[in-house]
Amino acid sequence: MTENAQPAPGTTRDTAPGTTRDAAPGTTRDTTAPGTTRDTAAPGTTRDTAAPAPGTTRDTAAPAPGTTRDGAVPGPTTTGERFVRVNLPPTLQQRYAVDRELGAGGEADVLLANDRETGEQRVVRLYRRQDLPLDDDKLKRLLLADRQHLIALLDYGRGDGYVWEILEFAREGSLEELLARTPAPWPAPQVLSVFDQLAPAITYANSLGMVHRDIKPGNVLIRSINPLDMVLADFGLTKFIAATHHIGTNSRTSAYAPPEAIGGGLSRSSDWWSLGMVLLELLVGRSPFQRTDGTWMDDRFITHELISREIDVSEVADEHWRLLLRGLLTRAPDKRWGPQQTAMWRNGGKPPVADPEPATATATGAGPTTRGSNATYVFGGRGYNDPVQLAAALRADWGEGRRLLAGRKLKTPQYLALKDWMTKHQRAEAVQALDNGVDERPERGLMQVIMALDPNVPPEFNGRRLDGEHLHALLRDAVGGQVAARQLLDQVYEDGILTICDEATGCTGYAMLDDRWHRSVDTAQARLQQENVPLQAEHVQSLRMQLLITAYEGQGHQYAEAARQAAQNPEALQQQWFRNLAGEQIVPQYQAAHHAVLMMAAPVAASQTMNQRAEAERRRIAAEQHAVAQSRAKVDQLSVPIGVVCGLLACMPVVGFLTALAAIYCGVRARRTQYQSASTWAIGLGGVGVVLQLCYLMQAIAGVSAQPPAG
Amino acid sequence: MTHIDVVAVTHRGRQRDYNQDTVAVAGFQSGVLEGQPVRFAIDPVRPVTCLVADGLGGLAEGARASRVAAATITDAAPLFHDQDAVVRAVHQANDAVYAEMALTPAWSGMGSTVVLLVLAGDRAICANVGDSRCFLLRDAHLVQLSQDDSMTPAGEETIATVVTQALGGTPRPTAVTPHVLETEVAPGDRFLLCSDGLTDELDVERIEEELVKAADPRSAVSALLRAALDAGARDNVSIVLVTVPEPPAEPTGTAQEGNLP
């Protein structure tokens, strides 16, 4: 490859750091430059001096004392307070005051400088060779180029042992730096705005007859973030220098280079490939050649991949974006999308793509034998270096697998080792599965990992197979009341396992099934909650079970009859809310959910009716008892005066015989009232009366027995 | 109650008449042949360090190595505010074992594993060398935090008798690289440190089950020890169970249990 990373390593990255440490634009420093104040090259204007021929120095009128022509690296000098290793050549020294170094490489030094006249910040790039061939024609075109899309080349020249160029300084740094601050994946609208900046820029550069060849996040500079204003950097001299020096590339560069660049080929469409790679990185979160920990793959590996394989864009969820990426990442340069297709795409069109989209499964289809790795992963006290065998082991020892994935949040060594191992075995889907949503649901993650490791085996969850027939069997067991089956089904529901199984052997349409299942359960639960129907765990279980049955295509009516009967429950119909519920008109897709709601609600409504009835009965009995008690209390009240009167009458003979007893009776009743003393009196008088009556009686008997002898 | 609850026990098992394991909890170090579970309530104002060291080598030397390692780490424990301090202490323990070894030719090659857990504020640092383990029980999943230094050839079982790294363990001083994991601590977390005498006898599933169903930490440790002894306990068994307290129950209605006398 003829890439140009080497001439100025680090330059692209450092040309425009977003940090403005005490850069203090406009500070007056060294303003007393010797001699002339030059008319600074206004943007876009051609300078009055013709492009110099090799060897000529410009403005030799004002050479700084002591500067020799090939004094490439003058001794350390200080500009202002700051130490700067590199001095500007005298010609530039007049116009610019060095602020600080931005970077240095084998071929060039990059300085941030302030324009002495305007105070604007500029980037000065000095190539330490004077004999570089310059394509003045192209450079002039660049000087005149539209600033909207390309970083401005303000001036260039040659002299004092240097070739130099003056560039615009982009305050916000590069896209690479922005990515470090705001890691991808970015939301689609943001990526679209990046696209809107870069695609026209490439189109424009191409229209100037220029190919950038090295578009990558480090070469996309940002003038402002809000609104987003991005420009392509490094169109300038770097290009020409790279052309004369064949230098090896680094991965950071080749990861964005198109396949044809490997053979040294170059075409206008190269930049469009690079754009595709940048967008893919923004959408997915990392380049396909970047490992999950952010490090880059080996250059040779990248080359090999580029030669042998399509770039996998299946991680991009949105179909329209995927289309764009497939168009841009078309391997044949002449079939790759260019300005027209991308513009069409931007307007919502669907331009054709040369290569058919590969089925996702084929990426792993090559199998472990063809690209096995010797890496060994220890699981359950056993070493594995075959993904299929590990998948089998994970299925067999579910608990250990669950614990393994429960370690995801903690980043346990076992978990990290698994991820590393899968990366080595190139199980991208499995690694992806590890990255997605394993946090809270280890078993969901485990299922995904197993499926990704060995997609050819029917899915199995915690020891139960889930393909068509077996799922039916599981359902039957659950309906039959097997606790284990019901719990398993619950887990399958909560972890969304069926979706994961979709497209596996014997699991066609599971994603749809799962979707219908979840939607109807959610609907039913929401409805029941709305009616304040309490749901215990086992109710929820039954609900889920029933709705899985009805979620199957054509089974929606399964519980229609049962629901109809439930809706006719006379007890339940006593309840107004149930009558409303039963009378509701439901759209077909929620019929099944409604059936389940009716079946759940009917017993609740019926028991509400029962409860209401029992409550009424209880109230009636209580009322009766209350009435009895009240009448008794009334009698008790009456017995107070009666008791006292009877007590008084008790002293009289004969009559007192009855009244004494009545007084005692009334007295006792009166004790229940608050007239305690009256009651005591009544009882007391009654008692005295009884004694008196007895005396009368004895007297009378004595009188009767005494008379005969007397008579 | 905001104290960290630690229950620790070490036992020689059923087949050995010596105990080479050493357990240390917050500065207290075990020295018994077979002990009863001991319960600590530790105020976490300073970093709380618990460790299990499993001595390797013939008879007394293994115990010597594990005691030296445990004592060295315990000495440094008050400063365990970050990973670096922990790693430094492990290196010191390694040096100390070699220094001890140099005293007598007969002690040559003695060594010890170590697994330690530091609770410093809301951070937990777990470090280990060798095959003694540290687990975290959270959400009823028993997750291993330590990394075994053992050998497992592809397609074969782990070779239980070999550790690839230990404090000491070779006649010549050899550096160690402890495995370190730092994580956040959540209320109710339970950490289990143990020597391989436990994990060789009981599989993790069983340990998890015992911990989940145990009513309190003391009975959990007792149940584990009992199970290990029942399974044969061919090696010394050491268990340390660290329980992070739940936040104090709020005075308003939400706390039904635990508050009552």
Side-chain angles (χ1 to χ4, degrees), chain A residues 441-510:
Chain A
R441 304 207 163 274
E443 289 170 79
R444 182 181 162 89
L446 177 57
M447 191 73 187
Q448 285 173 321
V449 167
I450 294 174
M451 299 286 296
L453 286 176
D454 186 3
N456 301 321
V457 160
E460 198 175 307
F461 183 82
N462 203 350
R464 297 277 311 224
R465 279 178 58 176
L466 293 182
D467 50 317
E469 235 174 277
H470 290 87
L471 186 59
H472 284 303
L474 177 65
L475 249 176
R476 263 198 301 281
D477 287 349
V479 173
Q482 269 190 25
V483 178
R486 293 176 73 116
Q487 282 172 351
L488 196 86
L489 218 53
D490 244 18
Q491 261 190 323
V492 167
Y493 175 86
E494 278 170 7
D495 285 357
I497 297 299
L498 293 185
T499 310
I500 303 173
C501 301
D502 189 46
E503 292 185 8
T505 331
C507 301
T508 341
Y510 269 26

Side-chain angles (χ1 to χ4, degrees), chain A residues 241-281:
Chain A
I241 287 156
T244 60
H245 293 260
H246 188 85
I247 287 148
T249 62
N250 60 17
S251 308
R252 199 72 182 87
T253 296
S254 51
Y256 298 93
E260 66 265 22
I262 294 164
L266 184 66
S267 67
R268 249 168 224 215
S269 54
S270 295
D271 288 346
W272 293 101
W273 171 282
S274 305
L275 174 65
M277 292 301 282
V278 171
L279 293 176
L280 178 60
E281 181 176 348

Side-chain angles (χ1 to χ4, degrees), chain B residues 228-248:
Chain B
L229 291 173
D230 288 348
R234 284 155 291 180
D235 196 356
N236 308 140
V237 183
S238 296
I239 306 167
V240 177
L241 182 62
V242 181
T243 308
V244 179
E246 302 273 0

Side-chain angles (χ1 to χ4, degrees), chain A residues 306-348:
Chain A
L306 279 174
I307 292 172
S308 56
R309 202 182 289 283
E310 301 276 343
I311 299 291
D312 180 16
V313 299
S314 62
E315 282 181 56
V316 178
D318 182 69
E319 201 183 323
H320 202 54
W321 275 110
R322 235 177 18 239
L323 182 72
L324 172 73
L325 292 175
R326 283 171 50 221
L328 292 175
L329 299 174
T330 299
R331 293 158 55 76
D334 51 335
K335 293 191 180 135
R336 193 173 298 151
W337 281 15
Q340 292 92 29
Q341 289 93 335
T342 45
M344 246 172 94
W345 176 87
R346 183 63 181 88
N347 293 327

Side-chain angles (χ1 to χ4, degrees), chain A residues 79 111 130 317 383 442 462 468 477 579 595 643:
Chain A
T79 337
L111 305 167
Q130 198 173 292
N462 203 350
D477 287 349
R579 273 201 299 282
H595 293 156

Side-chain angles (χ1 to χ4, degrees), chain B residues 191-211:
Chain B
F191 295 90
L192 175 74
L193 305 176
C194 60
S195 60
D196 63 345
L198 180 72
T199 46
D200 286 350
E201 300 299 347
L202 305 178
D203 51 26
V204 183
E205 188 84 31
R206 174 76 192 278
I207 298 174
E208 182 182 77
E209 191 189 314
E210 293 287 354
L211 287 177

